Amino acid sequence: HTFFWGAKSVRHIEGKWTKKKFKVMDGVFTLLEIEERFFRKEFADPRILFALNRASLSGPPLRNEPYLGYKLNRQLDDQAKKFIANPLALKIDKNKGKVYLSALFQKTEYARSFLAKYRIDRKFKGKIPETRAVLNFITNYVPQEVKKYLELGNYTVQFMGYNWTINDGS
């Protein structure tokens, strides 16, 4: 694993998502089951992706407060904005005509989660539906000049590799 992921990779933690179990509402679940059942299915909102943290540099930032129902929409919008502001999530090279997106936006099940709410056919032509939906989502969380470039610019989309190095907060 060290060769592929680096010495400080979160991927070295064996069974982190599928073997360790936690008690939730009198049931026992792995982290992967908790993500699927309680977050992704229950909320059916792609912003939940930015609340889930894989403890890696390429992942969304860890929030320093709990998610609370009465302010959840604001917190999820804030998480999306913080994540997208990170160059490991979105990077634009106008000279090369490239928009680089996080691998999180490419992963099939995550990319599909944007389709229901952000599917669009009028913009981002020439890109697959999942990528159009992701770009439409992103335009809600970037400055106006970036939004304009994403909507009108001539570019190709390339997905970046995922950095699994443990985000130790330093």
mmCIF file of all heavy atoms in Angstrom, residues 93-126:
data_model
loop_
_atom_site.group_PDB
_atom_site.id
_atom_site.type_symbol
_atom_site.label_atom_id
_atom_site.label_comp_id
_atom_site.label_asym_id
_atom_site.label_seq_id
_atom_site.Cartn_x
_atom_site.Cartn_y
_atom_site.Cartn_z
ATOM 1 N N ASP A 93 -7.401 26.097 -15.559
ATOM 2 C CA ASP A 93 -6.244 26.566 -16.316
ATOM 3 C C ASP A 93 -6.774 27.074 -17.654
ATOM 4 O O ASP A 93 -6.964 26.308 -18.599
ATOM 5 C CB ASP A 93 -5.240 25.432 -16.517
ATOM 6 C CG ASP A 93 -3.945 25.904 -17.151
ATOM 7 O OD1 ASP A 93 -3.958 26.941 -17.867
ATOM 8 O OD2 ASP A 93 -2.915 25.236 -16.954
ATOM 9 N N LYS A 94 -7.040 28.376 -17.721
ATOM 10 C CA LYS A 94 -7.608 28.979 -18.929
ATOM 11 C C LYS A 94 -6.642 28.896 -20.103
ATOM 12 O O LYS A 94 -7.061 28.747 -21.245
ATOM 13 C CB LYS A 94 -8.012 30.430 -18.665
ATOM 14 C CG LYS A 94 -9.193 30.562 -17.727
ATOM 15 C CD LYS A 94 -9.559 32.015 -17.499
ATOM 16 C CE LYS A 94 -10.704 32.129 -16.514
ATOM 17 N NZ LYS A 94 -11.047 33.525 -16.231
ATOM 18 N N ASN A 95 -5.341 28.996 -19.831
ATOM 19 C CA ASN A 95 -4.346 28.930 -20.906
ATOM 20 C C ASN A 95 -4.375 27.575 -21.621
ATOM 21 O O ASN A 95 -4.187 27.501 -22.830
ATOM 22 C CB ASN A 95 -2.940 29.203 -20.382
ATOM 23 C CG ASN A 95 -2.784 30.627 -19.892
ATOM 24 O OD1 ASN A 95 -3.399 31.547 -20.432
ATOM 25 N ND2 ASN A 95 -1.992 30.815 -18.857
ATOM 26 N N LYS A 96 -4.595 26.508 -20.874
ATOM 27 C CA LYS A 96 -4.651 25.167 -21.463
ATOM 28 C C LYS A 96 -6.078 24.765 -21.834
ATOM 29 O O LYS A 96 -6.282 23.705 -22.429
ATOM 30 C CB LYS A 96 -4.075 24.136 -20.486
ATOM 31 C CG LYS A 96 -2.584 24.255 -20.290
ATOM 32 C CD LYS A 96 -2.075 23.155 -19.383
ATOM 33 C CE LYS A 96 -0.568 23.269 -19.192
ATOM 34 N NZ LYS A 96 -0.059 22.221 -18.301
ATOM 35 N N GLY A 97 -7.052 25.584 -21.431
ATOM 36 C CA GLY A 97 -8.442 25.248 -21.710
ATOM 37 C C GLY A 97 -8.892 24.008 -20.962
ATOM 38 O O GLY A 97 -9.585 23.156 -21.505
ATOM 39 N N LYS A 98 -8.492 23.928 -19.679
ATOM 40 C CA LYS A 98 -8.827 22.751 -18.867
ATOM 41 C C LYS A 98 -9.455 23.172 -17.542
ATOM 42 O O LYS A 98 -9.025 24.136 -16.923
ATOM 43 C CB LYS A 98 -7.589 21.915 -18.576
ATOM 44 C CG LYS A 98 -7.014 21.254 -19.803
ATOM 45 C CD LYS A 98 -6.317 19.984 -19.425
ATOM 46 C CE LYS A 98 -5.715 19.350 -20.644
ATOM 47 N NZ LYS A 98 -6.393 18.186 -21.081
ATOM 48 N N VAL A 99 -10.458 22.418 -17.155
ATOM 49 C CA VAL A 99 -11.057 22.540 -15.831
ATOM 50 C C VAL A 99 -10.800 21.205 -15.152
ATOM 51 O O VAL A 99 -11.184 20.151 -15.657
ATOM 52 C CB VAL A 99 -12.578 22.842 -15.908
ATOM 53 C CG1 VAL A 99 -13.222 22.714 -14.542
ATOM 54 C CG2 VAL A 99 -12.797 24.240 -16.490
ATOM 55 N N TYR A 100 -10.115 21.272 -14.035
ATOM 56 C CA TYR A 100 -9.781 20.072 -13.275
ATOM 57 C C TYR A 100 -10.760 19.947 -12.115
ATOM 58 O O TYR A 100 -10.944 20.889 -11.347
ATOM 59 C CB TYR A 100 -8.352 20.158 -12.739
ATOM 60 C CG TYR A 100 -7.311 20.274 -13.823
ATOM 61 C CD1 TYR A 100 -6.877 21.520 -14.265
ATOM 62 C CD2 TYR A 100 -6.772 19.135 -14.414
ATOM 63 C CE1 TYR A 100 -5.921 21.633 -15.266
ATOM 64 C CE2 TYR A 100 -5.816 19.238 -15.415
ATOM 65 C CZ TYR A 100 -5.396 20.488 -15.839
ATOM 66 O OH TYR A 100 -4.462 20.594 -16.835
ATOM 67 N N LEU A 101 -11.368 18.771 -12.005
ATOM 68 C CA LEU A 101 -12.326 18.514 -10.933
ATOM 69 C C LEU A 101 -11.839 17.376 -10.058
ATOM 70 O O LEU A 101 -11.160 16.452 -10.523
ATOM 71 C CB LEU A 101 -13.692 18.140 -11.511
ATOM 72 C CG LEU A 101 -14.416 19.195 -12.332
ATOM 73 C CD1 LEU A 101 -15.718 18.624 -12.882
ATOM 74 C CD2 LEU A 101 -14.685 20.432 -11.503
ATOM 75 N N SER A 102 -12.235 17.423 -8.802
ATOM 76 C CA SER A 102 -11.909 16.368 -7.852
ATOM 77 C C SER A 102 -12.431 15.020 -8.344
ATOM 78 O O SER A 102 -13.505 14.922 -8.943
ATOM 79 C CB SER A 102 -12.558 16.683 -6.503
ATOM 80 O OG SER A 102 -12.531 15.545 -5.656
ATOM 81 N N ALA A 103 -11.692 13.990 -8.019
ATOM 82 C CA ALA A 103 -12.129 12.627 -8.325
ATOM 83 C C ALA A 103 -13.456 12.310 -7.629
ATOM 84 O O ALA A 103 -14.190 11.432 -8.078
ATOM 85 C CB ALA A 103 -11.057 11.623 -7.902
ATOM 86 N N LEU A 104 -13.777 13.020 -6.549
ATOM 87 C CA LEU A 104 -15.074 12.810 -5.893
ATOM 88 C C LEU A 104 -16.230 13.073 -6.852
ATOM 89 O O LEU A 104 -17.266 12.435 -6.769
ATOM 90 C CB LEU A 104 -15.234 13.738 -4.683
ATOM 91 C CG LEU A 104 -14.654 13.285 -3.372
ATOM 92 C CD1 LEU A 104 -14.907 14.345 -2.294
ATOM 93 C CD2 LEU A 104 -15.205 11.971 -2.934
ATOM 94 N N PHE A 105 -16.061 14.014 -7.761
ATOM 95 C CA PHE A 105 -17.109 14.324 -8.726
ATOM 96 C C PHE A 105 -17.180 13.299 -9.847
ATOM 97 O O PHE A 105 -18.152 13.236 -10.574
ATOM 98 C CB PHE A 105 -16.891 15.711 -9.330
ATOM 99 C CG PHE A 105 -17.079 16.833 -8.363
ATOM 100 C CD1 PHE A 105 -16.058 17.723 -8.110
ATOM 101 C CD2 PHE A 105 -18.287 17.020 -7.709
ATOM 102 C CE1 PHE A 105 -16.239 18.784 -7.231
ATOM 103 C CE2 PHE A 105 -18.472 18.065 -6.826
ATOM 104 C CZ PHE A 105 -17.444 18.948 -6.584
ATOM 105 N N GLN A 106 -16.142 12.507 -9.996
ATOM 106 C CA GLN A 106 -16.096 11.527 -11.071
ATOM 107 C C GLN A 106 -16.627 10.176 -10.632
ATOM 108 O O GLN A 106 -17.212 9.453 -11.428
ATOM 109 C CB GLN A 106 -14.660 11.364 -11.571
ATOM 110 C CG GLN A 106 -14.522 10.379 -12.716
ATOM 111 C CD GLN A 106 -13.085 10.188 -13.133
ATOM 112 O OE1 GLN A 106 -12.164 10.387 -12.343
ATOM 113 N NE2 GLN A 106 -12.867 9.797 -14.370
ATOM 114 N N LYS A 107 -16.408 9.832 -9.389
ATOM 115 C CA LYS A 107 -16.812 8.517 -8.903
ATOM 116 C C LYS A 107 -18.283 8.297 -9.242
ATOM 117 O O LYS A 107 -19.133 9.111 -8.890
ATOM 118 C CB LYS A 107 -16.566 8.428 -7.396
ATOM 119 C CG LYS A 107 -16.686 7.028 -6.879
ATOM 120 C CD LYS A 107 -16.259 6.944 -5.435
ATOM 121 C CE LYS A 107 -16.461 5.526 -4.975
ATOM 122 N NZ LYS A 107 -16.184 5.324 -3.593
ATOM 123 N N THR A 108 -18.560 7.237 -9.917
ATOM 124 C CA THR A 108 -19.852 7.015 -10.551
ATOM 125 C C THR A 108 -21.050 7.264 -9.654
ATOM 126 O O THR A 108 -21.914 8.058 -9.987
ATOM 127 C CB THR A 108 -19.914 5.586 -11.119
ATOM 128 O OG1 THR A 108 -18.782 5.395 -11.944
ATOM 129 C CG2 THR A 108 -21.157 5.382 -11.925
ATOM 130 N N GLU A 109 -21.111 6.620 -8.498
ATOM 131 C CA GLU A 109 -22.316 6.784 -7.673
ATOM 132 C C GLU A 109 -22.455 8.197 -7.123
ATOM 133 O O GLU A 109 -23.551 8.692 -6.925
ATOM 134 C CB GLU A 109 -22.398 5.744 -6.554
ATOM 135 C CG GLU A 109 -21.322 5.860 -5.491
ATOM 136 C CD GLU A 109 -20.090 5.031 -5.761
ATOM 137 O OE1 GLU A 109 -19.861 4.594 -6.893
ATOM 138 O OE2 GLU A 109 -19.331 4.813 -4.807
ATOM 139 N N TYR A 110 -21.341 8.868 -6.880
ATOM 140 C CA TYR A 110 -21.415 10.244 -6.418
ATOM 141 C C TYR A 110 -21.845 11.172 -7.551
ATOM 142 O O TYR A 110 -22.704 12.029 -7.370
ATOM 143 C CB TYR A 110 -20.082 10.713 -5.845
ATOM 144 C CG TYR A 110 -19.672 10.035 -4.559
ATOM 145 C CD1 TYR A 110 -18.344 9.886 -4.219
ATOM 146 C CD2 TYR A 110 -20.623 9.540 -3.671
ATOM 147 C CE1 TYR A 110 -17.973 9.265 -3.033
ATOM 148 C CE2 TYR A 110 -20.259 8.920 -2.496
ATOM 149 C CZ TYR A 110 -18.932 8.783 -2.184
ATOM 150 O OH TYR A 110 -18.564 8.185 -1.025
ATOM 151 N N ALA A 111 -21.248 11.002 -8.725
ATOM 152 C CA ALA A 111 -21.609 11.847 -9.873
ATOM 153 C C ALA A 111 -23.088 11.691 -10.213
ATOM 154 O O ALA A 111 -23.774 12.671 -10.496
ATOM 155 C CB ALA A 111 -20.747 11.491 -11.081
ATOM 156 N N ARG A 112 -23.599 10.475 -10.151
ATOM 157 C CA ARG A 112 -25.016 10.239 -10.440
ATOM 158 C C ARG A 112 -25.932 10.933 -9.438
ATOM 159 O O ARG A 112 -27.046 11.298 -9.771
ATOM 160 C CB ARG A 112 -25.318 8.741 -10.457
ATOM 161 C CG ARG A 112 -25.089 8.132 -11.800
ATOM 162 C CD ARG A 112 -25.699 6.732 -11.865
ATOM 163 N NE ARG A 112 -24.710 5.876 -12.470
ATOM 164 C CZ ARG A 112 -24.156 4.830 -11.897
ATOM 165 N NH1 ARG A 112 -24.503 4.447 -10.701
ATOM 166 N NH2 ARG A 112 -23.257 4.126 -12.529
ATOM 167 N N SER A 113 -25.465 11.123 -8.216
ATOM 168 C CA SER A 113 -26.316 11.743 -7.197
ATOM 169 C C SER A 113 -26.637 13.202 -7.538
ATOM 170 O O SER A 113 -27.602 13.756 -7.037
ATOM 171 C CB SER A 113 -25.680 11.639 -5.805
ATOM 172 O OG SER A 113 -24.542 12.460 -5.706
ATOM 173 N N PHE A 114 -25.843 13.824 -8.406
ATOM 174 C CA PHE A 114 -26.098 15.205 -8.812
ATOM 175 C C PHE A 114 -27.170 15.294 -9.899
ATOM 176 O O PHE A 114 -27.761 16.349 -10.107
ATOM 177 C CB PHE A 114 -24.805 15.864 -9.316
ATOM 178 C CG PHE A 114 -23.822 16.140 -8.223
ATOM 179 C CD1 PHE A 114 -22.851 15.202 -7.893
ATOM 180 C CD2 PHE A 114 -23.861 17.321 -7.505
ATOM 181 C CE1 PHE A 114 -21.940 15.446 -6.874
ATOM 182 C CE2 PHE A 114 -22.959 17.576 -6.489
ATOM 183 C CZ PHE A 114 -22.000 16.627 -6.176
ATOM 184 N N LEU A 115 -27.416 14.193 -10.596
ATOM 185 C CA LEU A 115 -28.343 14.216 -11.733
ATOM 186 C C LEU A 115 -29.759 14.632 -11.355
ATOM 187 O O LEU A 115 -30.369 15.445 -12.047
ATOM 188 C CB LEU A 115 -28.375 12.857 -12.429
ATOM 189 C CG LEU A 115 -27.197 12.565 -13.345
ATOM 190 C CD1 LEU A 115 -27.244 11.121 -13.814
ATOM 191 C CD2 LEU A 115 -27.154 13.516 -14.510
ATOM 192 N N ALA A 116 -30.303 14.073 -10.303
ATOM 193 C CA ALA A 116 -31.708 14.330 -9.958
ATOM 194 C C ALA A 116 -31.991 15.811 -9.734
ATOM 195 O O ALA A 116 -33.005 16.331 -10.186
ATOM 196 C CB ALA A 116 -32.099 13.528 -8.721
ATOM 197 N N LYS A 117 -31.087 16.495 -9.061
ATOM 198 C CA LYS A 117 -31.345 17.883 -8.686
ATOM 199 C C LYS A 117 -30.680 18.911 -9.609
ATOM 200 O O LYS A 117 -31.170 20.026 -9.733
ATOM 201 C CB LYS A 117 -30.876 18.102 -7.250
ATOM 202 C CG LYS A 117 -31.356 19.392 -6.641
ATOM 203 C CD LYS A 117 -31.102 19.431 -5.153
ATOM 204 C CE LYS A 117 -31.634 20.707 -4.547
ATOM 205 N NZ LYS A 117 -31.395 20.799 -3.134
ATOM 206 N N TYR A 118 -29.585 18.534 -10.266
ATOM 207 C CA TYR A 118 -28.802 19.519 -11.013
ATOM 208 C C TYR A 118 -28.658 19.183 -12.501
ATOM 209 O O TYR A 118 -27.882 19.825 -13.200
ATOM 210 C CB TYR A 118 -27.420 19.689 -10.367
ATOM 211 C CG TYR A 118 -27.530 20.236 -8.978
ATOM 212 C CD1 TYR A 118 -27.502 19.399 -7.872
ATOM 213 C CD2 TYR A 118 -27.713 21.599 -8.769
ATOM 214 C CE1 TYR A 118 -27.632 19.902 -6.593
ATOM 215 C CE2 TYR A 118 -27.843 22.110 -7.489
ATOM 216 C CZ TYR A 118 -27.808 21.252 -6.409
ATOM 217 O OH TYR A 118 -27.946 21.751 -5.143
ATOM 218 N N ARG A 119 -29.407 18.208 -12.966
ATOM 219 C CA ARG A 119 -29.353 17.854 -14.393
ATOM 220 C C ARG A 119 -29.739 19.063 -15.232
ATOM 221 O O ARG A 119 -30.678 19.785 -14.915
ATOM 222 C CB ARG A 119 -30.304 16.708 -14.676
ATOM 223 C CG ARG A 119 -30.284 16.315 -16.133
ATOM 224 C CD ARG A 119 -31.255 15.187 -16.439
ATOM 225 N NE ARG A 119 -30.738 14.494 -17.598
ATOM 226 C CZ ARG A 119 -30.353 13.249 -17.614
ATOM 227 N NH1 ARG A 119 -30.462 12.516 -16.533
ATOM 228 N NH2 ARG A 119 -29.884 12.701 -18.694
ATOM 229 N N ILE A 120 -28.996 19.267 -16.290
ATOM 230 C CA ILE A 120 -29.258 20.402 -17.177
ATOM 231 C C ILE A 120 -28.801 20.010 -18.583
ATOM 232 O O ILE A 120 -27.800 19.333 -18.741
ATOM 233 C CB ILE A 120 -28.542 21.671 -16.676
ATOM 234 C CG1 ILE A 120 -29.034 22.878 -17.432
ATOM 235 C CG2 ILE A 120 -27.050 21.561 -16.761
ATOM 236 C CD1 ILE A 120 -28.807 24.167 -16.672
ATOM 237 N N ASP A 121 -29.569 20.399 -19.565
ATOM 238 C CA ASP A 121 -29.202 20.093 -20.944
ATOM 239 C C ASP A 121 -28.836 21.339 -21.735
ATOM 240 O O ASP A 121 -28.251 21.246 -22.802
ATOM 241 C CB ASP A 121 -30.362 19.358 -21.648
ATOM 242 C CG ASP A 121 -30.599 17.980 -21.047
ATOM 243 O OD1 ASP A 121 -29.620 17.328 -20.653
ATOM 244 O OD2 ASP A 121 -31.770 17.572 -20.965
ATOM 245 N N ARG A 122 -29.196 22.505 -21.223
ATOM 246 C CA ARG A 122 -28.975 23.754 -21.952
ATOM 247 C C ARG A 122 -27.538 24.249 -21.875
ATOM 248 O O ARG A 122 -27.088 24.994 -22.726
ATOM 249 C CB ARG A 122 -29.903 24.848 -21.408
ATOM 250 C CG ARG A 122 -31.371 24.538 -21.556
ATOM 251 C CD ARG A 122 -32.260 25.642 -21.003
ATOM 252 N NE ARG A 122 -31.864 26.180 -19.711
ATOM 253 C CZ ARG A 122 -32.216 25.668 -18.532
ATOM 254 N NH1 ARG A 122 -32.961 24.592 -18.472
ATOM 255 N NH2 ARG A 122 -31.830 26.234 -17.419
ATOM 256 N N LYS A 123 -26.820 23.875 -20.847
ATOM 257 C CA LYS A 123 -25.454 24.357 -20.642
ATOM 258 C C LYS A 123 -24.486 23.170 -20.620
ATOM 259 O O LYS A 123 -24.901 22.034 -20.468
ATOM 260 C CB LYS A 123 -25.337 25.115 -19.313
ATOM 261 C CG LYS A 123 -26.195 26.350 -19.237
ATOM 262 C CD LYS A 123 -25.910 27.165 -17.981
ATOM 263 C CE LYS A 123 -26.583 26.570 -16.776
ATOM 264 N NZ LYS A 123 -26.428 27.376 -15.569
ATOM 265 N N PHE A 124 -23.223 23.483 -20.768
ATOM 266 C CA PHE A 124 -22.146 22.496 -20.665
ATOM 267 C C PHE A 124 -22.282 21.407 -21.732
ATOM 268 O O PHE A 124 -22.052 20.230 -21.481
ATOM 269 C CB PHE A 124 -22.090 21.888 -19.258
ATOM 270 C CG PHE A 124 -22.194 22.903 -18.167
ATOM 271 C CD1 PHE A 124 -23.305 22.954 -17.341
ATOM 272 C CD2 PHE A 124 -21.192 23.850 -17.987
ATOM 273 C CE1 PHE A 124 -23.419 23.908 -16.342
ATOM 274 C CE2 PHE A 124 -21.297 24.806 -16.975
ATOM 275 C CZ PHE A 124 -22.412 24.836 -16.158
ATOM 276 N N LYS A 125 -22.672 21.816 -22.921
ATOM 277 C CA LYS A 125 -22.869 20.874 -24.025
ATOM 278 C C LYS A 125 -21.570 20.158 -24.363
ATOM 279 O O LYS A 125 -20.490 20.693 -24.186
ATOM 280 C CB LYS A 125 -23.425 21.602 -25.237
ATOM 281 C CG LYS A 125 -24.803 22.160 -24.971
ATOM 282 C CD LYS A 125 -25.454 22.665 -26.229
ATOM 283 C CE LYS A 125 -26.706 23.401 -25.896
ATOM 284 N NZ LYS A 125 -27.908 22.781 -25.980
ATOM 285 N N GLY A 126 -21.702 18.961 -24.836
ATOM 286 C CA GLY A 126 -20.543 18.160 -25.200
ATOM 287 C C GLY A 126 -19.960 17.387 -24.037
ATOM 288 O O GLY A 126 -18.981 16.665 -24.190
#
